[in-house]
Amino acid sequence: MAMLRALAQGETDAARMADMAKKQLRKKIPQLQLALEGCLLPHHRWLLSEMIEDLDHVGAKISRIEETIEQQMRPFQNAVDRWLTVPGVKHRLAWTLVAEVGPTVEAFPSAADLVSWAGVCPGNNQTAGKRKSGTTRAGNPFLRRALCEAAWAASKKKGTYLQAQFRRLAALRGPKRALVAVASSILTAGYYILQRATTYQELGPDYFDKRNTVRATHRLVKRLEALGHRVILEPHFSNNPIQASSS
């Protein structure tokens, strides 16, 4: 934005504008100089100034709206703070979750009822005892959208159970279904957080491997064999019950 404002005000020195870069963008100063070299006519600068003015106006309006929302949410700050402990949930999302679900979950008999109401559970499509792929129900569109946004942010957060869940399911069923599954996990965790008046407890990225070490071992052995290795498993008498050697 500093570079755009400088361009609108008539700055022509590309090196000086590129030096306005901050944080990670400073690694691209040579590329920025090339991008900023050019010829802007007066009407280009005028148009850029008008767009920046519109952007500033919208930004100021958003700030005023957020201040009002924050004031209205103060009586429910306890619930907001509990949601903020969940990976992927920031202030705006926490406000939406409290607004849609409520500061408590007394209206929902169970976490499954809340997940179903939100529309982040798989559909029930079963014929002749065979379960087919079912689409999710419509549910609450505002809550569903907020949960999917939180799930996408959580899938990028390293060293968490939610990221491990997303990667595990994305490899099997695709990223879209994995995203809905993570959204369901976030809402389920939120249900118990509000019900028990506690905070989010991180299970860790290795939760799935620890839950079933035999399955995890077989999966890793298959991957090594697919890469051309011969794997021999031997008992280990330390804390780790399995030792593998490959050749």
Side-chain angles (χ1 to χ4, degrees):
M1 287 305 302
M3 298 177 205
L4 291 175
R5 294 182 192 279
L7 282 171
Q9 294 170 3
E11 179 64 64
T12 57
D13 192 332
R16 188 181 304 171
M17 288 186 288
D19 194 53
M20 297 176 181
K22 297 181 180 180
K23 297 183 179 180
Q24 295 296 323
L25 199 57
R26 294 200 63 83
K27 297 179 181 179
K28 299 182 179 181
I29 287 182
Q31 294 93 321
L32 288 172
Q33 290 182 4
L34 292 175
L36 291 167
E37 289 177 355
C39 180
L40 281 184
L41 298 178
H43 74 278
H44 294 147
R45 299 184 189 278
W46 177 81
L47 288 172
L48 182 57
S49 299
E50 291 296 313
M51 287 186 284
I52 292 176
E53 184 179 347
D54 290 342
L55 183 61
D56 290 340
H57 173 72
V58 173
K61 190 171 184 179
I62 291 175
S63 298
R64 292 195 300 271
I65 292 173
E66 288 183 343
E67 290 176 1
T68 302
I69 294 175
E70 187 172 7
Q71 293 175 1
Q72 297 294 325
M73 295 298 293
R74 284 177 183 173
F76 316 110
Q77 190 61 40
N78 189 29
V80 172
D81 291 338
R82 296 189 191 283
W83 274 112
L84 289 174
T85 63
V86 181
V89 177
K90 301 300 181 183
H91 276 86
R92 291 184 184 179
L93 291 178
W95 293 339
T96 303
L97 294 171
V98 173
E100 298 300 326
V101 176
T104 66
V105 290
E106 296 177 354
F108 303 95
S110 67
D113 289 293
L114 176 58
V115 170
S116 177
W117 179 75
V120 288
C121 63
N124 186 13
N125 185 4
Q126 187 170 338
T127 303
K130 295 183 179 180
R131 183 176 178 82
K132 300 181 180 180
S133 177
T135 58
T136 57
R137 55 172 293 178
N140 183 318
F142 306 106
L143 179 57
R144 180 189 174 99
R145 189 180 303 118
L147 288 169
C148 288
E149 184 177 345
W152 184 250
S155 70
K156 304 295 182 181
K157 198 169 184 62
K158 297 180 180 179
T160 63
Y161 163 83
L162 295 175
Q163 185 190 52
Q165 182 190 24
F166 177 84
R167 290 183 173 180
R168 179 171 175 266
L169 293 177
L172 297 173
R173 302 181 181 180
K176 292 183 178 180
R177 292 184 179 179
L179 191 69
V180 175
V182 174
S184 177
S185 296
I186 290 175
L187 187 56
T188 301
Y191 177 89
Y192 291 110
I193 287 172
L194 295 177
Q195 184 189 57
R196 300 171 183 175
T198 183
T199 57
Y200 179 81
Q201 303 297 319
E202 178 59 56
L203 297 177
D206 56 351
Y207 171 80
F208 295 103
D209 291 338
K210 290 182 177 178
R211 186 180 62 176
N212 193 328
T213 56
V214 174
R215 181 181 297 178
T217 301
H218 289 169
R219 183 178 69 252
L220 294 175
V221 167
K222 287 183 178 180
R223 291 184 64 182
L224 287 171
E225 290 176 344
L227 293 173
H229 298 282
R230 182 171 60 88
V231 181
I232 301 175
L233 298 178
E234 298 177 353
H236 197 281
F237 297 101
S238 64
N239 294 331
N240 187 1
I242 296 177
Q243 180 183 19
S245 61
S246 63
S247 61

